[in-house]
Amino acid sequence: MSRIVTVGAAQMGPIQRAHSRREVVARMVEMMREAASHRCDLVVFPELTLTTFFPRWWMEDRNEIDAFFEREMPSNETAPLFNEAARLGIGFSLGYAELTPEGRHFNTAVLVDKSARIVGKYRKIHLPGHAGHEPWRAFQHLEKHYFEVGDLSWGVWNALGGHMGMMICNDRRWPESYRVMGLQSVEMILLGYNTPRHNPPAPDHDRLSEFHNQLVMQAGAYQNGTWVVGVAKCGVEEGCEMIGGSSIVAPTGEVIGQALTQDDELIVARCDLDLTKSYKASTFNFDMHRQPDQYRRIVEQRGAVGPEG
Ligand code: CDT
């Protein structure tokens, strides 16, 4: 049986506040059709794909906030995506703001198989930014205000011919996210992001935005012997520039496909999942080389302390 998964990274250009879900879903269906014409098994969409990146604004009105959230998936508005996926026989992953029946709010991604069945769900764990109103910022980053920390850890699912995992945006900067999936033999990590170029508390990092994006995805792929498919929502959204650079990274750590624009753009790669094997069996044979007893500090301590004495 073939171990090739042909993946389409469906980078999306800006989504303004005035854009309806119907318009966004129509763009996504178009990209899904393009992916199918390239015989993709799977198409990966960004974080919070269905709306503008609303955590840039401080809002207090519950109805105004909840208008950015999905109460069901699929819904009437997202059904065309699921219907088209089933018709084309293509899997996909999608990021969206989830409002549960219990009234909980998460930054979520789902994995959907070729029969349009949801087979995996991940809720974002590393929520960047701040919880309080900070109007001095050119753009706020209020994920800690709008979302709870995800409660599902990082799962890995036997789906679409391989071991599939998901993480969301800021997770990609943390080695723990990759390693929890590496320990479940992940072969392909699907990852959507919205990354503003300007980081108000650290503007000296702005010129390094694309470099840091590449750095973490390439390191995560290599150190865990996995494919990483990173997909941006990018361009100038409501006056805020977000980086593109959507990338397909091999287990070698090499970038084998990368978007050139800051707009809707599909990049496609044939990914051999067996390329993961030599890394998982040699340098990163976890069972042979890891020393978890010596890593206790990682799970027992949160912030950094100084050296003793
Ligand atoms: N969406 C998201 O997680 N963006 C963050 C921005 C960090 S700056 C507050 C990222 O890590 O790309």
Side-chain angles (χ1 to χ4, degrees):
M1 198 176 129
S2 166
R3 296 277 289 154
I4 303 286
V5 172
T6 302
V7 66
Q11 175 174 289
M12 310 257 326
I15 294 171
Q16 311 302 348
R17 196 164 182 166
H19 290 160
S20 67
R21 283 177 179 68
R22 187 189 296 265
E23 289 170 294
V24 176
V25 168
R27 274 164 68 183
M28 295 169 77
V29 165
E30 197 52 46
M31 297 191 83
M32 186 177 268
R33 288 184 183 145
E34 190 185 344
S37 76
H38 290 281
R39 305 176 69 171
C40 287
D41 298 293
L42 167 66
V43 56
V44 182
F45 292 107
E47 174 192 32
L48 299 173
T49 314
L50 298 170
T51 67
T52 198
F53 188 73
F54 62 90
R56 72 171 66 90
W57 295 298
W58 174 260
M59 294 175 279
E60 289 175 284
D61 180 80
R62 198 70 261 171
N63 292 330
E64 188 185 10
I65 296 168
D66 285 351
F68 290 100
F69 283 76
E70 312 302 314
R71 288 183 164 76
E72 40 182 9
M73 187 59 64
S75 60
N76 284 344
E77 284 148 320
T78 50
L81 198 59
F82 286 73
N83 294 342
E84 192 65 4
R87 191 182 74 78
L88 296 167
I90 191 168
F92 69 96
S93 70
L94 162 70
Y96 64 98
E98 177 190 13
L99 176 52
T100 73
E102 301 75 35
R104 303 178 71 190
H105 297 76
F106 295 103
N107 185 341
T108 296
V110 286
L111 177 62
V112 181
D113 73 8
K114 290 183 177 183
S115 60
R117 200 170 50 98
I118 293 178
V119 291
K121 178 180 275 194
Y122 169 68
R123 290 171 171 158
K124 185 175 182 179
I125 290 170
H126 294 109
L127 298 174
H130 49 109
H133 190 21
E134 297 189 12
W136 61 269
R137 293 174 182 248
F139 306 101
Q140 303 201 47
H141 201 108
L142 287 154
E143 290 196 55
K144 288 186 194 298
H145 176 55
Y146 292 122
F147 302 115
E148 280 183 54
V149 172
D151 58 352
L152 302 173
S153 188
W154 288 273
V156 172
W157 297 273
N158 221 328
L160 296 150
H163 303 163
M164 300 287 167
M166 291 183 283
M167 62 169 76
I168 300 179
C169 195
N170 192 258
D171 288 324
R172 75 194 187 289
R173 304 187 193 276
W174 300 88
E176 294 87 347
S177 319
Y178 300 87
R179 186 48 53 89
V180 171
M181 287 187 267
L183 286 166
Q184 299 168 80
S185 305
V186 73
E187 293 173 314
M188 183 176 279
I189 295 175
L190 316 176
L191 144 67
Y193 58 91
N194 286 263
T195 297
R197 177 176 308 286
H198 177 50
N199 185 10
D204 50 320
H205 301 184
D206 293 0
R207 72 175 182 86
L208 300 165
S209 298
E210 278 91 353
F211 168 63
H212 290 158
N213 182 42
Q214 294 306 311
L215 180 69
V216 292
M217 293 194 291
Q218 291 184 250
Y222 167 65
Q223 290 170 343
N224 293 278
T226 182
W227 290 89
V228 171
V229 183
V231 184
K233 177 147 70 61
C234 57
V236 181
E237 227 184 58
E238 300 292 345
C240 175
E241 190 202 347
M242 301 193 293
I243 65 165
S246 299
S247 300
I248 300 175
V249 187
T252 59
E254 294 165 292
V255 177
I256 64 151
Q258 189 165 64
L260 292 172
T261 69
Q262 288 193 326
D263 218 325
D264 291 8
E265 180 181 346
L266 182 79
I267 54 171
V268 175
R270 287 176 80 251
C271 303
D272 181 355
L273 299 186
D274 283 342
L275 250 188
T276 63
K277 282 188 173 161
S278 68
Y279 290 89
K280 290 185 189 295
S282 62
T283 314
F284 299 112
N285 182 328
F286 292 165
D287 196 37
M288 194 178 288
H289 304 304
R290 289 184 77 249
Q291 300 295 347
D293 279 354
Q294 302 301 319
Y295 309 151
R296 290 190 186 283
R297 197 183 275 275
I298 288 176
V299 288
E300 289 170 0
Q301 184 179 321
R302 180 138 99 160
V305 296
E308 277 178 27

